[in-house]
Amino acid sequence: MKIINKFVAVTLIFIMIVLLTACGNKTPKTADEFTSFMESKGFTVADSTLFAQTIITADTVLTALNDNYEIDFYVLSSDTGASSLFELNKSAFESDGSTVSETTNISSDNYNYYDNISDTGFRLTARVDNTVLYCYTDAEYKDEIIDIITELGYK
């Protein structure tokens, strides 16, 4: 009986360690890292900072384009500013009047992720520290985009 109890205890401790490690903080990408990564995936990356500053205050805004969609990357001066932008994007997605069929919402200390599929397309926003990703496109590209975002470290 003592052997079984020890086995159960060790197993539970192992599971807790794995779960706690998996829930650790994510590391934000720099503008250069985002650019290099997206270019390696066949995207053209453009600096959209001046255009975006008419809408939002951001230190850097990059737009990664391919033939089918774009993914925007924002670097803000603070985590608080990035959290506000993430929440603004999420609220816009939730309140645009479209019919949502599927939603993913994840939050941790320095990380937020939200996506949904609706009758108007696939929408995604993610935050790590002071950086935010944004994408709004046709639902047919959902899996491809999620693969890219995951490899980038934002899901």
Side-chain angles (χ1 to χ4, degrees):
M1 190 65 140
K2 288 184 181 183
I3 293 174
I4 293 173
N5 287 341
K6 284 184 181 181
F7 176 76
V8 170
V10 169
T11 302
L12 289 175
I13 290 170
F14 176 76
I15 290 171
M16 288 176 55
I17 289 170
V18 169
L19 289 175
L20 290 174
T21 303
C23 295
N25 286 347
K26 291 188 174 280
T27 303
K29 298 299 182 207
T30 65
D32 288 340
E33 290 170 329
F34 176 80
T35 299
S36 294
F37 177 81
M38 296 306 286
E39 287 177 345
S40 76
K41 296 294 181 188
F43 286 77
T44 300
V45 179
D47 187 336
S48 304
T49 306
L50 290 177
F51 172 75
Q53 285 180 339
T54 62
I55 302 166
I56 187 165
T57 303
D59 294 343
T60 304
V61 180
L62 300 173
T63 301
L65 302 156
N66 71 10
D67 292 336
N68 302 311
Y69 53 86
E70 70 180 57
I71 298 173
D72 297 318
F73 179 77
Y74 298 83
V75 179
L76 290 96
S77 60
S78 69
D79 296 0
T80 304
S83 291
S84 295
L85 179 57
F86 171 84
E87 289 299 330
L88 180 70
N89 291 340
K90 180 182 170 188
S91 294
F93 294 160
E94 293 174 330
S95 64
D96 70 356
S98 61
T99 303
V100 175
S101 61
E102 184 180 322
T103 299
T104 304
N105 192 13
I106 304 168
S107 292
S108 70
D109 290 341
N110 76 327
Y111 169 70
N112 304 95
Y113 176 90
Y114 178 86
D115 74 31
N116 75 28
I117 297 176
S118 72
D119 55 346
T120 61
F122 175 69
R123 294 94 62 93
L124 173 147
T125 189
R127 177 193 73 87
V128 176
D129 288 345
N130 66 320
T131 63
V132 176
L133 291 176
Y134 173 92
C135 183
Y136 189 162
T137 191
D138 297 333
E140 69 184 281
Y141 302 112
K142 173 192 173 213
D143 293 336
E144 182 179 328
I145 293 167
I146 288 176
D147 288 347
I148 289 169
I149 299 305
T150 301
E151 190 174 343
L152 188 60
Y154 280 72
K155 182 171 183 196

